[in-house]
Amino acid sequence: MAGDVRTRILEAAKALAESHDSVQGVTISLESVAHQAGLTKPGLMYHFPSKQALMVGVVDHAAEHWAHMLAGQAGKPVGELSSFERHRAYVAVATTAEVSRADYWIFSDALYHPTLAEAWSGHLGPWFDTVGLDAQAVSLLTAARFCADGAWMSEATGVFRSTDLAAVREHALGLIDTAERLTAGNRRTGAEESAAAGECSAAEDRAVADGTGTGTREVTA
């Protein structure tokens, strides 16, 4: 029951942000959110004792929702996905999900408050992890993510919307495909070079052992 009331409060805060004509100047107060949620101010403060706590809750709720959409798109938990699969899920969601001015306000407000930004980092950071990839692959994945970022933000604000989101999505997915091919090629080349070096070392050992090698190793009787 408490969870239902908490969710109702968070959705009320988002609805208030959505009711503004622009993303600028959005002001959320405990009183206005309580009224929107059909609660008294003390009733709201039972769940969120301060405006800061409310804002942290709003951002965490939004970031959790994004993470849920990404997991649904990917079909697997984030820990079971490659960096390429995670970025594909983000591109797909960012270019197809229904977003609003409120989504943009919640995201952009967190940029100026480290405490709020922690919620985004906590829920979405794992989806953008590129540990273990080389610089070229990382730059391609970052470019794909920036394409997706711009797509959903322009849709949310209504400013310079794309006339063909599908084309934007395909371009971003192409960048991810390129990053994956380059990474696979580099790993294959590295494995082949390692195998070749191993074969050379083994051949040298055999030559030294039978006395036909020209290496510097000494054979003792």
Side-chain angles (χ1 to χ4, degrees):
M1 182 65 180
D4 293 339
V5 175
R6 182 182 176 88
T7 300
R8 196 166 94 214
I9 293 169
L10 298 173
E11 292 297 332
K14 183 176 179 180
L16 278 175
E18 176 61 25
S19 68
H20 284 69
D21 291 332
S22 75
V23 295
Q24 297 181 350
V26 174
T27 301
I28 300 297
S29 67
L30 296 180
E31 292 84 354
S32 62
V33 174
H35 178 75
Q36 180 75 19
L39 299 169
T40 62
K41 183 177 177 181
L44 181 148
M45 294 183 71
Y46 173 80
H47 299 277
F48 301 100
S50 66
K51 183 178 177 180
Q52 175 73 5
L54 175 61
M55 292 309 303
V56 170
V58 167
V59 174
D60 187 73
H61 183 63
E64 184 178 32
H65 176 62
W66 271 88
H68 179 75
M69 289 194 294
L70 292 174
Q73 174 65 38
K76 290 190 291 187
V78 63
E80 297 178 12
L81 300 167
S82 69
S83 294
F84 312 107
E85 291 171 323
R86 293 194 295 267
H87 278 75
R88 286 191 186 99
Y90 178 67
V91 167
V93 169
T95 55
T96 58
E98 299 234 348
V99 290
S100 66
R101 291 189 302 272
D103 292 293
Y104 179 78
W105 165 71
I106 293 169
F107 173 78
S108 60
D109 198 51
L111 298 178
Y112 305 100
H113 301 87
T115 302
L116 302 182
E118 288 175 6
W120 286 109
S121 298
H123 287 292
L124 298 188
W127 288 91
F128 303 137
D129 180 39
T130 56
V131 172
L133 300 180
D134 64 25
Q136 188 174 16
V138 171
S139 67
L140 287 166
L141 292 181
T142 302
R145 177 165 61 85
F146 285 175
C147 282
D149 287 344
W152 82 256
M153 290 181 192
S154 65
E155 286 296 303
T157 60
V159 177
F160 300 122
R161 283 177 171 167
S162 170
T163 57
D164 191 351
L165 272 180
V168 174
R169 178 169 59 254
E170 290 308 309
H171 178 67
L173 291 174
L175 293 171
I176 297 170
D177 290 343
T178 300
E180 187 171 33
R181 284 196 301 271
L182 288 172
T183 299
N186 290 341
R187 288 174 178 169
R188 187 163 52 247
T189 298
E192 291 171 353
E193 290 177 350
S194 179
E199 290 174 2
C200 288
S201 178
E204 182 181 353
D205 286 343
R206 288 194 297 272
V208 170
D210 63 20
T212 62
T214 58
T216 59
R217 302 179 193 181
E218 294 182 357
V219 178
T220 56

